[in-house]
Amino acid sequence: MKAIVFDFDGTLTKSRKESNCWYEVWKYMDDLAYDDFLYKKYKNNEIDDIEWFDLIFKRYKEKGVKREYLHEISKKIELLPGAHETLKYLYDNDVKIFILSGGIRQIIEDILKRENVYNFITSIETYDLIFDNESNLIDFKRPNFHNPENKNEYIDLLTKQYNLKSDEILFVGNGANDEKVYLSGANTLCINPDDADISNKVVWHNAIEKCGNLVEILKFCDIKDMKNIKKGL
């Protein structure tokens, strides 16, 4: 294995329900009902993913979301135990580490820097909220894979950009929105499934239903020398 791609919310973090980036922003603004309203419209195909996120951005501007909000939210979100140990081990063994998330870059980066793992990451592909010098929200940038449910498109981009074969990549996720990744030909591992169907072995090649320590994923990483990291296996 030459590269590993992680989902973030609920995969690298402890619990999706309590640590989802977008959920936490809506909660911070006391606007969860509007979040639910938009999500239902998207799921009912009344709006597409582009309209959905445009409406989110519009609402955030109306609510006056500040950069400081995201920083405060990041303090509440914890990485899964063993994250530093695991990411450092992968990095030290020349495995490229990517984060592919439908979350918010500023929150993700804050958490990774706080946990001293940011420098292990090759790149992060996610949504950006853009702020001016006075911390006012002024713009919004989508990730290259556009639709959060088409993460296989990002894997295809990685293979071209980094000269990788798809079967040299392991994807680690936890949700139904990760289930198209297998179409890219990458190996897939589901940990702590939220709404993912781990019984579907076409979609999920392997699974850890209850992963309490991220070190557990290393048994699926095809790295020969594991003598220096036994804890959690």
Side-chain angles (χ1 to χ4, degrees):
M1 189 191 75
K2 294 184 178 180
I4 186 165
V5 180
F6 288 99
D7 174 46
F8 191 75
D9 291 331
T11 299
L12 282 179
T13 62
K14 284 186 175 180
S15 167
R16 180 173 180 174
K17 182 178 179 181
E18 297 174 358
S19 63
N20 178 277
C21 294
W22 297 102
Y23 174 86
E24 289 293 347
V25 178
W26 289 110
K27 183 179 176 182
Y28 194 91
M29 298 188 303
D30 193 25
D31 206 17
L32 287 171
Y34 193 73
D35 172 35
D36 188 55
F37 167 72
L38 290 183
Y39 183 71
K40 286 179 179 177
K41 286 178 72 71
Y42 169 66
K43 279 301 182 182
N44 290 334
N45 296 315
E46 296 174 40
I47 54 176
D48 62 22
D49 64 293
I50 293 177
E51 293 173 289
W52 181 26
F53 280 94
D54 281 346
L55 288 169
I56 290 173
F57 173 65
K58 180 180 178 181
R59 186 69 165 191
Y60 280 17
K61 285 198 71 173
E62 289 172 353
K63 286 285 186 175
V65 169
K66 301 281 189 178
R67 174 65 181 84
E68 289 78 12
Y69 292 8
L70 308 186
H71 183 62
E72 289 302 313
I73 288 166
S74 72
K75 295 177 182 178
K76 304 176 183 179
I77 302 174
E78 298 180 65
L79 294 182
L80 200 65
H84 185 278
E85 192 175 9
T86 303
L87 296 174
K88 184 179 187 304
Y89 183 79
L90 292 166
Y91 177 82
D92 288 345
N93 281 273
D94 300 319
V95 176
K96 294 187 181 301
I97 304 169
F98 302 92
I99 292 177
L100 173 61
S101 171
I104 300 171
R105 178 178 298 276
Q106 290 83 352
I107 293 176
I108 293 172
E109 289 187 348
D110 277 356
I111 297 165
L112 296 176
K113 289 174 181 177
R114 184 188 72 218
E115 300 293 334
N116 297 315
V117 296
Y118 180 76
N119 290 335
F120 301 148
I121 311 301
T122 301
S123 74
I124 300 169
E125 190 70 24
T126 188
Y127 291 86
D128 277 332
L129 298 179
I130 312 300
F131 298 88
D132 63 19
N133 292 334
E134 296 180 355
S135 191
N136 298 307
L137 181 61
I138 57 172
D139 206 354
F140 175 66
K141 183 181 177 183
R142 294 180 181 83
N144 287 324
F145 62 93
H146 301 299
N147 190 319
E149 296 183 1
N150 290 344
K151 293 185 178 182
N152 55 298
E153 295 176 3
Y154 176 71
I155 305 296
D156 293 337
L157 291 173
L158 280 186
T159 59
K160 297 172 183 175
Q161 185 174 354
Y162 291 91
N163 194 28
L164 295 165
K165 296 178 181 177
S166 59
D167 62 3
E168 295 175 326
I169 301 171
L170 174 66
F171 175 83
V172 185
N174 80 318
N177 68 332
D178 300 322
E179 292 186 340
K180 286 187 179 180
V181 169
Y182 85 97
L183 295 172
S184 68
N187 299 295
T188 58
L189 170 64
C190 184
I191 66 172
N192 298 326
D194 178 15
D195 53 356
D197 178 10
I198 59 173
S199 69
N200 188 335
K201 299 304 180 183
V202 174
V203 169
W204 295 111
H205 303 133
N206 292 288
I208 306 174
E209 190 165 0
K210 294 182 179 179
C211 181
N213 191 307
L214 197 64
V215 171
E216 296 176 50
I217 74 165
L218 292 178
K219 66 184 75 174
F220 301 102
C221 290
D222 192 27
I223 298 174
K224 294 180 180 179
D225 180 13
M226 299 182 67
K227 62 185 179 182
N228 294 322
I229 185 162
K230 292 294 184 182
K231 183 180 178 183
L233 292 176

